[in-house]
Amino acid sequence: MRKLLLLALLCAGCASTAPPKSLSPVGAAAFQKTRAIKVLDLLRDTAIDANAQQPPLISTATTRKVVQAHQLSLQAIQASDSGWAAAVGVTLAKLSHDPSLLPEEVQRLSPYFELAAQVLKGLQ
Amino acid sequence: MAVSPLVLLAIQETPAIIATIKDLFAKQNPDAPQPTDAEVIAAYQQALQSSLDKDAAWLSQHPE
């Protein structure tokens, strides 16, 4: 799984999926926002599933922070048509550097943070 | 034989990861029917709402 994520990261820098040409600017914006939501969902769902393992791989406190950051990010996406990608990037960066996260938790979530960061970078 | 929780998580998440990555990097097929604005906007609104609902549900089940 780590190799798969590493491959995705390597590809992320040079790959970009432009919205279908049939879309208007409004449709294109919705397309890009959906891409962001999907990659953020991957981060959130992984944290939730990791927390559900026995024993938990990520604490409930950390998972709560991930879910709250995810919620905040989606609210930012919903609220604005411009600048949301940068705002979400800041939210994720702040979370990934939260001192209350254990090193092993950061290590487990870092591929997902990186993937989200790369996708958001391509959307700005 | 007991399986490591990390391995279990990897097995559990791999299909979702592969599906997400394929979707993120899928090239557009020029012969495929192109989506309309209405379809894309509806998909976005559904993705947004269902995701926010999942956040709210998890947070309500795991209060501080």
Side-chain angles (χ1 to χ4, degrees):
Chain A
M1 189 173 85
R2 286 178 188 267
K3 287 182 181 176
L4 181 65
L5 284 169
L6 182 59
L7 183 62
L9 287 172
L10 290 172
C11 294
C14 53
S16 66
T17 303
K21 293 178 182 176
S22 59
L23 299 177
S24 70
V26 172
F31 180 88
Q32 300 292 48
K33 285 183 176 186
T34 304
R35 291 186 67 218
I37 290 170
K38 288 192 174 184
V39 77
L40 291 169
D41 283 355
L42 187 60
L43 169 65
R44 189 255 334 254
D45 292 343
T46 299
I48 286 176
D49 289 341
N51 176 244
Q53 300 299 317
Q54 293 299 332
L57 295 169
I58 291 177
S59 69
T60 300
T62 295
T63 305
R64 186 176 300 111
K65 289 189 176 188
V66 172
V67 175
Q68 287 170 338
H70 178 274
Q71 192 178 47
L72 206 65
S73 297
L74 261 60
Q75 287 167 353
I77 289 171
Q78 184 179 28
S80 175
D81 283 332
S82 64
W84 56 264
V88 173
V90 167
T91 298
L92 293 185
K94 194 175 168 186
L95 175 63
S96 66
H97 290 92
D98 187 318
S100 69
L101 270 60
L102 298 175
E104 55 268 29
E105 292 177 329
V106 174
Q107 188 181 23
R108 284 169 187 153
L109 291 175
S110 67
Y112 305 93
F113 281 124
E114 286 296 326
L115 182 60
Q118 288 294 330
V119 170
L120 289 168
K121 191 176 167 186
L123 296 177
Q124 291 184 37
Chain B
M1 185 177 76
V3 181
S4 154
L6 200 54
V7 171
L8 281 174
L9 180 63
I11 293 169
Q12 195 173 347
E13 292 302 320
T14 297
I17 292 167
I18 292 172
T20 299
I21 292 170
K22 281 175 75 173
D23 184 59
L24 287 169
F25 300 124
K27 300 291 183 190
Q28 296 297 325
N29 182 346
D31 295 327
Q34 296 296 300
T36 63
D37 273 359
E39 287 168 343
V40 169
I41 291 168
Y44 155 66
Q45 288 171 342
Q46 185 180 11
L48 179 73
Q49 196 54 56
S50 66
S51 194
L52 284 171
D53 288 347
K54 186 168 181 177
D55 286 341
W58 191 92
L59 289 170
S60 71
Q61 289 164 8
H62 301 83
E64 292 193 56

